[in-house]
């Protein structure tokens, strides 16, 4: 019995020793692993520090470059702002200059009107005849031949009797082979001029020695140039069935809905057409009528264009 107890005790001691060895071994293994982890963490930390230093040395120049770029962008933005301000100022200045030029052009046009009207007054008894044959009406007998011809026409058409109807007659322009030069006739009074123009407008063409004669008022060259520059404008007005008339100064005059519009060159002719179209278009006409009605009810009137 005692021997068995001793054996059990020995077995227990052996097992305890074996367990202690295992625990010590396990503890040793754990400590070894912890040491490895610490060494690895140390290595990682050192590597990260070296990498951080290296990145810092690379980032600093980049930051400097970025700062320079930002300074340049700010300078460019400032220059752009100044350029925009200058452009806006220049735009306003150009617009002001354009308005001033338009005012000057209108002022010049008004002075030209006065000059043309004065010159027209000097020509108020003159007519221009086109188509008078040079061989049948030589210059030395031109006044007498045309005076008799016009006197006969007026007497037959209107019963007007005239003596010494023409004070002077002469040809103008360079002599041409195919077409005769125009003839300027100066009548003894303006009433005869208007009667002859009315007769020519009624008949459209007059006949002299089997030649068709066209009759025009003798207008200054500036007035004729104005008329020529407004050919497209008058063609557009014809297509719109819009009536117009000519002033002695060569201005084109249109009266529409109580407003007078005028043009003296191609640009003003385009503006005139735009204004007339704006009034004549159905939608715009209704708007103007409503605006006119509301302003009338308020005691006002539609402003002139």
């Amino acid at each position: 019995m005692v021997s068995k107890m001793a054996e059990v005790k020995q077995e227990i001691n052996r097992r305890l020793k074996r367990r202690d060895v295992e625990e010590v071994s396990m503890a040793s293994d754990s400590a070894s692993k912890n040491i490895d982890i610490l060494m690895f963490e140390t290595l990682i930390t050192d590597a990260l520090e070296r990498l951080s230093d290296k990145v810092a040395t690379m980032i600093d120049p980049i930051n400097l470059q970025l700062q320079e770029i930002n300074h340049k962008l700010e300078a460019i933005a400032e220059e752009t702002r100044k350029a925009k301000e200058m452009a806006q100022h220049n735009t306003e200045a150009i617009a002001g200059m354009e308005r001033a030029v338009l005012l000057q052009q209108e002022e010049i046009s008004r002075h030209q009107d006065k000059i043309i009207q004065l010159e027209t007054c000097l020509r108020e008894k003159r007519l221009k005849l086109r188509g008078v044959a040079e061989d049948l009406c030589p210059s030395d007998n031109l006044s007498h031949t045309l005076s008799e011809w016009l006197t006969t026409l007026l007497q037959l058409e209107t019963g007007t009797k005239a003596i010494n109807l023409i004070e002077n007659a002469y040809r103008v322009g360079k002599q041409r082979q195919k077409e005769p030069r125009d003839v300027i006739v100066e009548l003894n009074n303006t009433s005869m001029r208007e009667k002859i123009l009315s007769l020519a407008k009624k008949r459209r063409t007059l006949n002299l020695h089997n030649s068709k004669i066209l009759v025009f008022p003798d207008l200054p060259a500036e007035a004729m140039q104005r008329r020529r520059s407004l050919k497209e404008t008058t063609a557009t007005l014809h297509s719109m069935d819009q009536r117009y008339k000519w002033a002695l100064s060569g201005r084109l005059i249109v009266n529409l809905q109580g407003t007078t519009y005028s043009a003296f060159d191609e640009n003003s002719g385009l503006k005139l057409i735009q204004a007339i179209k704006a009034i004549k278009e159905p939608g715009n006409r209704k708007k103007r009528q409503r605006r006119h009605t509301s302003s009338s009810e308020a005691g006002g009137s539609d402003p002139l264009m």
Side-chain angles (χ1 to χ4, degrees), residues 5-170:
M5 290 289 291
E7 290 177 358
V8 169
K9 188 175 181 180
Q10 290 177 357
E11 182 65 25
I12 290 172
N13 288 331
R14 282 197 303 272
R15 291 186 178 182
L16 288 172
K17 288 180 180 180
R18 190 166 56 248
R19 189 176 65 182
D20 290 341
V21 170
E22 290 176 353
E23 288 179 356
V24 169
S25 177
M26 290 175 64
S28 176
D29 291 341
S30 177
S32 177
K33 289 179 179 179
N34 289 334
I35 291 171
D36 291 341
I37 290 171
L38 289 173
M39 290 179 64
F40 181 74
E41 288 178 350
T42 302
L43 291 173
I44 292 296
T45 302
D46 293 341
L48 288 175
E49 288 178 355
R50 289 194 299 273
L51 182 61
S52 176
D53 293 339
K54 189 174 182 180
V55 170
T57 57
M58 294 173 64
I59 287 176
D60 288 341
I62 294 174
N63 286 331
L64 291 175
Q65 291 180 359
L66 288 175
Q67 290 178 1
E68 292 178 359
I69 292 172
N70 285 331
H71 291 323
K72 290 180 179 179
L73 289 175
E74 290 175 358
I76 292 172
E78 181 65 17
E79 291 178 0
T80 302
R81 185 187 64 79
K82 291 181 180 179
K84 286 182 177 179
E85 290 180 355
M86 186 175 295
Q88 180 66 25
H89 175 73
N90 290 338
T91 301
E92 294 174 356
I94 290 171
M97 292 173 64
E98 288 177 346
R99 289 192 295 270
V101 168
L102 288 175
L103 291 174
Q104 288 293 328
Q105 288 177 340
E106 292 176 359
E107 185 67 20
I108 291 171
S109 177
R110 284 193 291 270
H111 286 298
Q112 287 178 339
D113 286 350
K114 292 179 181 179
I115 294 171
I116 294 172
Q117 287 171 0
L118 288 173
E119 191 174 352
T120 303
C121 289
L122 297 175
R123 301 176 182 221
E124 62 182 357
K125 295 190 295 182
R126 295 180 186 176
L127 289 174
K128 182 185 290 185
L129 307 182
R130 182 166 295 165
V132 179
E134 300 207 19
D135 54 345
L136 298 177
C137 296
S139 298
D140 56 354
N141 198 31
L142 194 58
S143 297
H144 177 72
T145 302
L146 294 177
S147 182
E148 287 185 346
W149 171 62
L150 290 174
T151 300
T152 302
L153 285 176
L154 288 172
Q155 187 171 1
L156 291 174
E157 186 71 25
T158 64
T160 302
K161 293 182 179 180
I163 301 174
N164 297 325
L165 184 63
I166 296 177
E167 292 184 356
N168 190 18
Y170 54 91

Side-chain angles (χ1 to χ4, degrees), residues 226-239:
R226 283 182 171 182
R227 290 194 179 199
R228 283 191 289 269
S229 68
L230 291 166
K231 278 186 177 181
E232 292 187 5
T233 304
T234 54
T236 304
L237 290 174
H238 279 299
S239 67

